[in-house]
Amino acid sequence: KSGNLHGNWQWFRKSGVIMRSGSFKNGVQTGTWVTYDQKGKVYKVTKLSDSTSKSHQFGQNLNKYSLTSIPLY
């Protein structure tokens, strides 16, 4: 959608272990976000509402962190 992230996403460490998962709506983080430790176990769960969602948008330039991002369909 106009170059912004949309839908469910997961990010993985270079080792292949999941690092973070969550959803975007038109480039804005929304819903439940999960952060995982280095072994892939849940470390933190953050629930975002419309009022707490980050105001900045994310485009397709997330790979600057050398992470693999995979949209979930």
Side-chain angles (χ1 to χ4, degrees):
K1 297 199 178 217
S2 301
N4 292 323
L5 299 179
H6 191 80
N8 297 321
W9 286 73
Q10 292 181 326
W11 286 266
F12 295 87
R13 301 179 194 287
K14 289 182 180 182
S15 65
V17 175
I18 190 165
M19 185 171 91
R20 187 148 189 181
S21 63
S23 297
F24 289 93
K25 183 175 182 181
N26 296 319
V28 178
Q29 287 178 295
T30 186
T32 302
W33 280 77
V34 181
T35 303
Y36 303 87
D37 67 14
Q38 292 183 353
K39 294 183 180 181
K41 293 185 180 182
V42 174
Y43 172 75
K44 178 172 77 169
V45 176
T46 305
K47 294 185 180 183
L48 301 172
S49 66
D50 289 340
S51 61
T52 60
S53 291
K54 298 190 178 186
S55 60
H56 57 281
Q57 291 190 343
F58 293 84
Q60 296 179 4
N61 199 12
L62 286 176
N63 287 332
K64 64 183 179 180
Y65 300 106
S66 299
L67 301 174
T68 302
S69 56
I70 301 171
L72 302 175
Y73 295 102

